[in-house]
Amino acid sequence: MTTHASEPAASAPDTMNTELSVNGGLTILAVSGTIDMATAPVLQTAVREAVSGTSAGLIIDLSDVEFLASAGMTILVEARQRIGDSAAFAVVADGPATSRPLSLTGLDKALGLYATVAQAVAALGPEA
């Protein structure tokens, strides 16, 4: 008798969600799920909307991101460049899926990386 391993059940496609909020005059874009080539356009649109409404600064919170591909890192760099010196900018990432690739590429220094939203808000402060 020959046995065959069953094929894995079809999983849901990678998904990503975004949510905008404001804390102390700073716009916070919370992102969850997977950031890859398939979801990058959604993130890019959300970042553009967040940047257009930013007064004091923008924090992109990747705390609930499970996978960060180079497409997502490119969008983070573009957001930083778009804001320039006109407003504060920070990225929240803590964990192997997000902070590790940002650190390995050196983007942690260029983007302003924090472990929590509270740390980012405190660092950017009301005068951001």
Side-chain angles (χ1 to χ4, degrees):
M1 176 196 257
T2 306
T3 58
H4 298 280
S6 62
E7 292 191 15
S11 61
D14 293 337
T15 59
M16 185 198 65
N17 295 305
T18 62
E19 182 179 325
L20 278 175
S21 62
V22 177
N23 183 338
L26 300 166
T27 300
I28 300 172
L29 175 62
V31 184
S32 62
T34 298
I35 303 174
D36 59 13
M37 289 297 291
T39 60
V42 175
L43 178 61
Q44 190 166 39
T45 298
V47 168
R48 283 185 183 148
E49 290 174 8
V51 168
S52 68
T54 298
S55 55
L58 173 62
I59 298 170
I60 300 179
D61 179 9
L62 304 178
S63 299
D64 293 328
V65 170
E66 299 161 358
F67 179 76
L68 177 62
S70 61
M73 289 186 267
T74 299
I75 292 168
L76 295 175
V77 170
E78 289 171 352
R80 178 67 189 111
Q81 290 172 340
R82 177 172 282 171
I83 287 177
D85 294 331
S86 67
F89 182 82
V91 174
V92 174
D94 187 31
T98 54
S99 65
R100 187 166 195 276
L102 291 170
S103 295
L104 288 173
T105 59
L107 291 176
D108 56 329
K109 294 167 186 61
L111 297 175
L113 193 64
Y114 296 89
T116 67
V117 171
Q119 288 175 352
V121 169
L124 299 183
E127 68 281 344

